[in-house]
Amino acid sequence: MPHYYMFHKPFGCVTARRDDRYPTVMDYFKELHNDRLSPVGRLDRETTGLLLITDDGPLAHELLSPKKHVDKTYYAKVSGKVTEEDRQAFAEGLDIGDDKPTLPAELTILETTEKEPGIFESRIRITICEGRFHQIKRMFEKVGKTVVYLKRLSMGSLELDPALPKGSARLLTQKEKAALGIADAETQKGK
């Protein structure tokens, strides 16, 4: 029977099974002695937040398939004043140097503060439906701003449990599994 874990990825570890330089997210699962567990998708070393860890390959493929365009929502702190023009540019898609522009992204400006005269920091929420390399950071660089903090809040229907501490994991609830389309083994027996 497959296993499904919600993991709150901390800063400083890489989303990989093994790495010679940095700790990996899978180091947090060593005591389970399950070599089939893998992270679904990637968060870079500096990004925190929601990761699904599972040994269900078909589900991982379903969530990661570029054809599916699964929404992923992030919270970020951005150096600079994020504007309505930036929001519109994200909604139209940006050329970040890949073969084609990004698909439209939903950018919400939560708050902008002036740290020092003329020095701004913005807090935003962004939803993308792709998973390109450093995509959000590259999108903000395109509009002349720098992401200084990035945290994934959700992936598809799965939302990060706010009570789950960084570096901790828990099994998905029945409700979370059902929202992802995962049938419970007990439910399947009754069919």
Side-chain angles (χ1 to χ4, degrees):
M1 187 163 82
H3 303 86
Y4 307 94
Y5 294 92
M6 175 184 294
F7 179 60
H8 190 161
K9 181 193 172 295
F11 179 89
C13 64
V14 294
T15 307
R17 294 191 52 76
R18 290 176 201 79
D19 191 88
D20 294 333
R21 294 178 52 199
Y22 301 106
T24 75
V25 295
M26 297 314 298
D27 291 340
Y28 291 84
F29 293 84
K30 281 183 178 177
E31 72 280 358
L32 294 179
H33 304 291
N34 183 340
D35 292 337
R36 295 183 60 222
L37 286 173
S38 292
V40 177
R42 292 192 177 274
L43 294 178
D44 65 33
R45 193 168 61 87
E46 296 84 19
T47 302
T48 66
L50 175 67
L51 260 182
L52 176 62
I53 308 289
T54 185
D55 49 8
D56 183 342
L59 174 69
H61 176 74
E62 183 80 10
L63 290 171
L64 295 175
S65 171
K67 295 176 183 173
K68 298 295 180 181
H69 299 299
V70 174
D71 284 348
K72 293 167 274 301
T73 300
Y74 297 79
Y75 166 80
K77 292 180 187 174
V78 178
S79 178
K81 190 174 190 176
V82 178
T83 65
E84 179 61 26
E85 290 78 20
D86 297 333
R87 192 195 66 71
Q88 185 60 38
F90 278 55
E92 292 171 3
L94 291 167
D95 179 355
I96 58 172
D98 292 342
D99 293 340
K100 52 188 171 182
T102 63
L103 290 175
E106 182 181 333
L107 174 62
T108 304
I109 304 165
L110 303 173
E111 177 184 37
T112 300
T113 55
E114 192 168 13
K115 296 297 200 181
E116 297 174 32
I119 307 292
F120 293 92
E121 180 179 85
S122 300
R123 297 171 192 274
I124 61 94
R125 185 172 43 248
I126 182 170
T127 300
I128 61 174
C129 61
E130 301 174 280
R132 299 185 193 189
F133 181 74
H134 292 301
Q135 181 174 343
I136 294 172
K137 292 176 180 179
R138 292 165 62 204
M139 291 171 80
F140 276 103
E141 286 171 5
K142 183 68 177 182
V143 295
K145 295 165 184 78
T146 303
V147 173
V148 294
Y149 175 79
L150 188 61
K151 178 180 184 178
R152 185 191 284 162
L153 303 175
S154 67
M155 181 176 184
S157 64
L158 189 60
E159 295 182 9
L160 180 63
D161 181 342
L164 188 64
K166 288 179 184 172
S168 297
R170 68 160 173 78
L171 289 167
L172 294 190
T173 65
Q174 293 296 61
K175 185 177 179 181
E176 289 164 341
K177 288 195 281 187
L180 287 172
I182 303 164
D184 182 37
E186 294 301 313
T187 308
Q188 288 180 338
K189 284 181 191 173
K191 288 187 177 180

